[in-house]
């Protein structure tokens, strides 16, 4: 008789993790620094916030009283997950920028209750997040297979395994808003390319609202968002042997009413030059000079519709919380 598997063996069999960041992750950080810190208006892409400490700070942000998006999105999911499960008939869930997959459990529960759930595919640049969440979810959902993809969703979407049945591609939290308009449409088109005729995109977007509410959400009283913002300098110090003193920079978060996005910057408190040793790159800051670290676009239903349709997607459901703070859109590929 075959010896029966231990619970640990079963968990290992149900997990597969592929990493696509070997070597190239650091190269992309170096490229982004060389490109972004030599411009007249200095800028870095926000994906470099998320080392283990950055991911932990983001989790703390999600619990802050001022940061409403996580609570609002969770409330929509709790209200509508059953309907989403019924409408999509999904057997698997691909999640881009999955993080700790905290809200994802609401969807997994609904798919499990509908009896369709088979596989979860988290995709994230932060390796520890993908590994930890695979371990935790396979033990929380017996029978669930997890195929984690450690990679950059701007570059590695073609490494997502083929669909084994109807699937939901979830892009939660409003992360799509962290791309400037041109890249946003490019990313949306690439995501649309992942979808077959029986698949759906479930995407979270933060909505335009009172600038005071928005600015408080990105400049909390406890200073957690400020620490998250400065964390990118710790990443550069560690990964590229830079000598930034994060305390030389103020955290700034302002709503830009023209572009309807929050802009986060690090503003130099004094004139100084810092050295990024691995790139042999001196970077000069004037006193008061800003380094843009993130934009977080806020949407109207019209803006989202036009972005979706530019990517060849059509809206199936528009779901909001009672205060219309945040929206989840369910969309699918437009029929030819
Ligand atoms: N979806 C979660 C986490 C949002 S935070 C939520 O709604 O709470 C953004 C997540 O996206 C982080 O986990 C970060 O590591 C990941 N991320 C950011 N840019 C990425 C990229 N280019 N490719 C893959 N993951 C990325
Ligand atoms: C991940 N992303 C959607 C968050 C946002 O709100 O734009 C990141 C964040 N930045 C500051 N606080 C939260």
């Amino acid at each position: 008789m075959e010896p029966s598997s231990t619970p640990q063996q079963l968990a290992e069999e149900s997990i597969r993790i592929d990493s696509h960041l070997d070597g190239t992750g650091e190269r992309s950080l170096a490229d982004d620094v060389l490109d972004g810190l030599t411009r007249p208006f200095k800028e870095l892409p926000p994906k470099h916030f998320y080392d283990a400490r950055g991911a932990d700070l983001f989790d703390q942000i999600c619990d802050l009283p001022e940061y409403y998006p996580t609570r609002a999105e969770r409330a929509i999911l709790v209200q509508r997950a059953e309907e989403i499960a019924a409408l999509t008939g999904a057997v698997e869930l691909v999640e881009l920028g999955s993080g700790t997959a905290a809200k994802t459990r609401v969807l997994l529960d609904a798919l499990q209750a509908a009896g369709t759930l088979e596989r979860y595919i988290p995709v994230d640049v932060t390796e520890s997040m993908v590994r930890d969440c695979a371990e935790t979810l396979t033990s929380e959902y017996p029978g669930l297979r997890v195929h984690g993809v450690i990679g950059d969703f701007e570059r590695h979407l073609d490494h997502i395994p083929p669909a084994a049945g109807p699937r939901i591609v979830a892009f939660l939290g409003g992360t799509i808003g962290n791309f400037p308009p041109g890249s946003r449409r490019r990313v949306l088109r690439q995501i649309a390319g992942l979808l077959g005729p029986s698949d759906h995109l479930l995407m979270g977007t933060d909505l335009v609202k009172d600038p005071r509410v928005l600015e408080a959400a990105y400049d909390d009283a406890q200073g957690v968002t400020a620490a998250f913002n400065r964390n990118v300098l710790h990443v550069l110090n560690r990964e590229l042997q830079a000598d930034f003193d994060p305390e030389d920079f103020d955290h700034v978060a302002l709503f830009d009413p023209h572009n309807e996005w929050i802009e986060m910057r690090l503003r130099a408190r004094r004139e100084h030059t810092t050295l990024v040793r691995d790139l042999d790159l001196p970077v000069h800051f004037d006193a008061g000079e800003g380094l843009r670290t993130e934009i977080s676009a806020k949407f109207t239903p019209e803006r989202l519709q036009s972005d979706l349709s530019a990517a060849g997607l059509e809206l199936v459901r528009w779901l909001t919380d009672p205060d219309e703070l945040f929206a989840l859109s369910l969309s699918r590929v437009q029929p030819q």
Side-chain angles (χ1 to χ4, degrees):
M1 209 173 78
E2 286 287 302
S4 56
S5 306
T6 63
Q8 192 185 350
Q9 280 166 333
L10 277 175
E12 278 163 14
E13 283 159 21
S14 51
I15 297 176
R16 171 176 169 176
I17 309 273
D18 300 335
S19 177
H20 303 287
L21 286 184
D22 311 320
T24 60
E26 292 81 31
R27 204 165 57 239
S28 122
L29 175 65
D31 288 345
D32 289 342
V33 167
L34 199 54
D35 186 36
L37 296 193
T38 55
R39 289 184 194 172
F41 297 101
K42 297 182 176 64
E43 180 168 24
L44 285 172
K47 69 178 171 203
H48 302 303
F49 281 134
Y50 299 94
D51 64 347
R53 177 167 179 262
D56 182 49
L57 285 165
F58 177 74
D59 260 12
Q60 293 179 41
I61 288 175
C62 292
D63 290 333
L64 291 170
E66 296 94 335
Y67 195 73
Y68 61 84
T70 310
R71 281 186 298 280
E73 189 177 39
R74 177 186 287 279
I76 305 168
L77 282 169
V78 168
Q79 277 282 315
R80 311 297 285 268
E82 196 181 326
E83 179 185 345
I84 295 167
L87 243 157
T88 60
V91 303
E92 55 185 40
L93 180 62
V94 175
E95 185 172 13
L96 307 175
S98 43
T100 54
K103 287 164 290 184
T104 315
R105 285 162 172 83
V106 181
L107 275 173
L108 293 174
D109 287 346
L111 295 173
Q112 193 178 49
T116 55
L117 179 65
E118 290 175 11
R119 184 163 67 151
Y120 175 56
I121 303 165
V123 182
D124 205 288
V125 272
T126 309
E127 173 163 359
S128 55
M129 299 278 229
V130 177
R131 293 194 184 282
D132 292 354
C133 123
E135 295 275 328
T136 322
L137 289 177
T138 44
S139 68
E140 282 176 26
Y141 295 84
L144 178 70
R145 286 181 294 122
V146 177
H147 185 154
V149 178
I150 300 164
D152 184 334
F153 51 61
E154 284 191 83
R155 295 187 292 144
H156 301 124
L157 287 188
D158 50 339
H159 294 294
I160 292 174
R167 76 170 24 156
I168 297 173
V169 175
F171 197 11
L172 303 180
T175 303
I176 189 66
N178 296 136
F179 292 95
S183 320
R184 185 199 304 155
R185 290 198 168 188
R186 179 173 42 77
V187 170
L188 275 177
R189 261 198 308 280
Q190 286 165 355
I191 296 174
L194 275 179
L195 302 178
S198 7
D199 301 336
H200 288 82
L201 170 65
L202 180 68
M203 187 164 70
T205 41
D206 196 10
L207 300 178
V208 173
K209 60 184 65 62
D210 184 338
R212 286 168 301 184
V213 175
L214 286 167
E215 288 179 357
Y218 291 82
D219 193 7
D220 62 279
Q222 294 170 56
V224 183
T225 312
F228 175 73
N229 195 6
R230 289 192 188 101
N231 187 54
V232 75
L233 300 180
H234 291 287
V235 171
L236 300 194
N237 286 350
R238 188 186 60 237
E239 299 295 330
L240 298 175
Q241 310 306 316
D243 62 1
F244 284 99
D245 178 352
E247 295 310 315
D248 273 342
F249 292 84
D250 285 320
H251 164 69
V252 180
L254 290 172
F255 183 63
D256 171 344
H258 175 69
N259 290 305
E260 294 186 315
W261 65 44
I262 282 278
E263 199 162 311
M264 284 208 321
R265 293 189 206 154
L266 289 165
R267 190 168 55 206
R269 287 183 181 154
R270 57 178 182 92
E271 185 188 351
H272 68 285
T273 299
T274 196
L275 180 66
V276 184
R277 267 190 214 90
D278 281 4
L279 304 177
D280 209 7
L281 178 72
V283 185
H284 179 82
F285 288 89
D286 288 328
E289 186 178 344
L291 157 59
R292 185 162 82 172
T293 49
E294 185 177 71
I295 62 158
S296 190
K298 307 305 162 191
F299 289 78
T300 56
E302 297 72 33
R303 160 109 47 85
L304 187 74
Q305 282 268 18
S306 97
D307 283 348
L308 289 175
S309 95
L313 294 167
E314 69 174 9
L315 191 64
V316 177
R317 286 283 188 284
W318 170 258
L319 314 168
T320 59
D321 54 294
D323 298 322
E324 303 204 346
L325 295 172
F326 199 89
L328 271 177
S329 57
L330 190 68
S331 55
R332 66 180 168 215
V333 173
Q334 283 162 2
Q336 294 296 321

